[in-house]
Amino acid sequence: MTDTSLTPWKVETRTKASAISAIVAALLVLFAFAAPLFASRSVLQDLFFILTMLVLAQNWNLLAGYAGLVSVGQQAFVGFGAYAMFALVILAGLDPLAAIVLAGIASALLAVPTAFFLFRLQGAYFAIGSWVIAEVVRLALAQWKTLGGGTGTSLPREATRDMPALKFIGDLFGVKSSGAGDILTYWLTLLLAIATIFLVYRLLRSKQGLGLAAVRDNQEAARSVGVDARRMKTLVYLAAAFGTGLCGALIYVQKARISPDAAFSVVDWTAYVIFIVVIGGIGTIEGPIVGVIVFYLLQTLLADYGSWYLLILGLVGIATMLFAPRGLWGLFADRTGIQLFPVRRRLTGGPLSSTRKGGPHG
Amino acid sequence: MTSALDTIIQGILLGGLYALFAAGLSLVFGIMRLVNLAHGDLIVLAAFLILVLVTALGLNPFVAALVAMPLMFAAGWALQYFLLNRTLGADILPPLLVTFGLSIVIQNGLLEGFTADSRRISAGGLESASLALGPVNVGVMPLLTLVSAIAVIIGLNQLFYRTSLGRAFRATSDDPVTAGLMGIRPKRIFATATGIAMVVVTIAALYLGTRANFDPTIGPARLIYAFEAVIIGGLGSLWGTLAGGIVIGIAQTFGAAINPEWQILAGHLAFLLVLLVRPRGLFPRAVD
């Protein structure tokens, strides 16, 4: 660079691509919020599905990709959030919207005792332990007879139809309450997805995020410079439980029918999510976004082939892990150096304006 | 009193089955710290292989299992050599994710090939036979399962501590790089270990298939029991794995005696309880 030693050293995360992407993202968000104006109900339902998977994937990515907590039991929080929402609506007669928020808090509360158990376990033990805990929660809730026991139950129609928010949306768009319900759940998930991405991004750019990356890359070294690894991991675990529980409650407000086997399905809420993150690129914010798009395309293409779909998804996941462990986004970012959500710190300014690619992230 | 004794004995016998599920996992985990999330599905795969041999060739299931063993050994060897060895390293994520993907692939492959129907391997009336042992009756098959589990564990321990292959296993487990300097090829050792684990898996599959119905989707539940047994027993101890299996078995039969719906839950709770008191299991040998 020409103006040597005039500019002081600065640590930056912003890049040119990120500035453009911020503008594009803002436009996309506006467009997405306006979607109910022109999109059909089935398109909205598909978008709802994509967004919920994205939220689950971002949460799992935060756990596994940044905090190094490989959980195979996140379905515990999807199911628990969903059941908490059902209990609050059916037994306490709460408005579903309030119940969703409380269900997220309930999931975070569930994460306190499970963290107590799981944080005694390392690595693979942690993965299996999280799965066992999800099974325990499923089996325990299947005993809850007022919520239908093992066969499950439905949300009462009055509860979902008479929400004040639905009436407002129904009047606004001139649709019936079922259509308004789709619009409402779509908006809420869109909001949740944006909030999740924003919060993860903020966390990773913060001092705590730097600590987290340090812990992931080398726990001993991070601790030696004063990063409290356990505290960071617990915090991330609780946050992921909150987000996953919120998302679970939202999914089941839309489904309006719950059973323990569906709500605690390891395939639906964990296997898919893991494949999304791995295929897209673990340890990046962009990865789950790319992954969920690939996942949706594969699902649409292979919809008629039954179990072949999962088989192919599994093979693609294995191949990605072996040959491109940083996923599709990793391949792309390595070639181009583009980061849409830059969390890597770069030293700029000073006598040698360094924009070296390929350094460690964080 | 008899009923409590009966429950304990049934629990011990059930524990034998879980120990068989777990022995292969314990072996692989002990030697290469590899967590095989597809272990349960490999048991189910072996059960289908035995079923095919029984129905296609009209073999006795025990003979069919003998035929299946070398096939499964070869499959395990190849799986480890060509796929899983690539995932080993300091990072635990690749082996977990690859075996998780493998689990999904095996499950759905079996679903495609054999449908979701419940199957069973007929052992020619042996399933319903029972022996009177003092005040309690014991099924012949459960007893055979426990005896097989003990035999497998004795066999594996002999292999481990009395043969040169076992020495290579232990050396590679302790330090693969130094073992490599001594002329051991860790990749081949790992492949052989997984091959042997698959032989044990075939024995487990024989009892899985003859004692109860199975379908392509039951693998993950078996994996969980097996893992609980390994963790309760403590890493690297095969006898500990047997003890772990028995702890799960007894907890399950007691849970079922109180309320049939509590059987599985009771097993999981026993596991969490052990973990709470002894996070490294009952008889930890290796430090990890």
Side-chain angles (χ1 to χ4, degrees), chain A residues 70 116-117 120 123-125 128 131-132 136 139 143 145 271 274 278 282 307-308 310-311 315 318 321-322, chain B residues 29 35 37 83 92-93 96-97 100 102 105 108-109 112 220 223 227-228 235 261-262 268 272 275-276 279:
Chain A
V70 185
F116 176 72
F117 267 109
R120 308 171 134 245
Y125 279 24
I128 302 291
W131 196 347
V132 170
V136 168
L139 291 163
Q143 300 293 317
K145 300 296 179 228
I274 292 181
V278 168
I282 192 164
S307 45
W308 284 110
L310 265 171
L311 202 153
L315 288 176
I318 292 175
M321 203 65 226
L322 286 179
Chain B
F29 197 46
V35 175
L37 290 184
L83 184 67
I92 64 146
L93 202 58
L96 274 179
L97 295 181
F100 191 68
L102 194 65
V105 168
N108 289 284
E112 209 46 55
L223 169 77
F227 241 103
E228 289 175 341
L235 179 68
E261 291 183 12
W262 293 355
H268 292 328
L272 292 179
L275 221 55
L276 196 64

Side-chain angles (χ1 to χ4, degrees), chain B residues 8-9 19 22 38 103 108 145 160-161 171 198-199 201 220 225 256-257 264:
Chain B
I8 290 179
I9 290 182
S103 154
N108 289 284
T145 315
F160 242 66
Y161 294 107
M198 286 305 111
V199 171
V201 155
Y225 303 152
I264 315 289

